[in-house]
Amino acid sequence: MTKIINRNYLEIKSVDALIESKISKSNETIDLIKTNDFQLNKFFYKSIGKEHRWTDRLIWSEVDWTKYISNSNVHTYVLKINNDLAGYFELIIHTNSQEVEIAYFGLLQEYQNKKLGGYLLSEAIKKCFSKKKINRVWVHTCTLDHKHALNNYLARGMKIYKKETIKV
């Protein structure tokens, strides 16, 4: 059986274009992970990705994971609510093109549908533009992702610049 997947590539070219979403709680933190221990990235990738068919990294060895997170252009941020893990995002800085890719982004299932996605994405975009000389932040999402993913990106001010349809 063939399945049709629609993929959208989105971008935002200035932090001034961000339509920020805030939450009224004061018990959340978003921290840059500064360790070279890949277990946290792997945990989020597997936990969040199982619902959305994230499969490309499932075959990665410990060496692959370590090499990836040791890259100085990869930055992982973790959202905690009341000191409990809630979500994360991985940024890849493309210095040659002065762009930042939001490579992976998501919330653990128990934190979904609580208005945290807009807040986390707002913070991710702000972190991207805090890097030096960034001209654009981009991401791609598809119909396998959370049902509100595309709307969240659009609501934050991101614009679709490319669409494609994939048959799997």
Side-chain angles (χ1 to χ4, degrees):
M1 178 180 198
T2 302
K3 183 169 178 96
I4 304 294
I5 299 169
N6 296 312
R7 183 180 293 155
N8 291 288
Y9 293 80
L10 299 100
E11 67 184 358
I12 189 168
K13 295 187 175 182
S14 165
V15 73
D16 296 331
L18 171 63
I19 302 166
E20 192 170 354
S21 177
K22 297 180 180 183
I23 55 177
S24 60
K25 301 173 184 171
S26 60
N27 56 349
E28 76 283 339
T29 60
I30 297 176
D31 297 312
L32 175 65
I33 302 305
K34 296 182 182 180
T35 178
N36 282 344
D37 181 3
F38 64 86
Q39 294 297 340
L40 198 55
N41 293 69
K42 186 176 179 180
F43 164 76
F44 278 117
Y45 180 86
K46 289 176 79 175
S47 298
I48 295 168
K50 71 182 175 193
E51 299 296 320
H52 308 293
R53 292 176 122 186
W54 295 356
T55 59
D56 56 321
R57 294 183 184 179
L58 295 178
I59 60 169
W60 279 15
S61 68
E62 290 187 6
V63 172
D64 294 327
W65 277 103
T66 300
K67 182 179 177 184
Y68 175 73
I69 64 149
S70 297
N71 182 330
S72 63
N73 289 330
V74 174
H75 298 197
T76 302
Y77 290 84
V78 172
L79 169 66
K80 291 182 180 179
I81 305 290
N82 292 324
N83 224 17
D84 291 331
L85 297 175
Y88 87 129
F89 54 90
E90 290 178 4
L91 306 179
I92 301 176
I93 301 168
H94 302 279
T95 52
N96 291 343
S97 56
Q98 296 177 311
E99 299 175 348
V100 179
E101 173 187 358
I102 302 173
Y104 285 92
F105 173 92
L107 294 165
L108 296 172
Q109 194 167 23
E110 58 268 31
Y111 291 97
Q112 293 177 7
N113 302 311
K114 297 182 180 198
K115 306 289 184 194
L116 291 169
Y119 166 73
L120 187 60
L121 182 57
S122 295
E123 295 301 309
I125 291 169
K126 290 192 301 187
K127 300 261 187 234
C128 291
F129 282 111
S130 72
K131 313 297 179 200
K132 293 182 180 179
K133 299 181 183 177
I134 296 303
N135 295 324
R136 166 175 103 120
V137 174
W138 66 276
V139 66
H140 65 78
T141 190
C142 73
T143 48
L144 296 175
D145 288 338
H146 189 277
K147 64 183 178 180
H148 298 302
L150 179 59
N151 287 337
N152 187 22
Y153 294 122
L154 293 170
R156 302 290 71 77
M158 299 187 91
K159 306 290 185 210
I160 296 172
Y161 70 90
K162 179 180 170 183
K163 292 183 177 193
E164 61 187 15
T165 300
I166 303 162
K167 294 179 182 179
V168 294

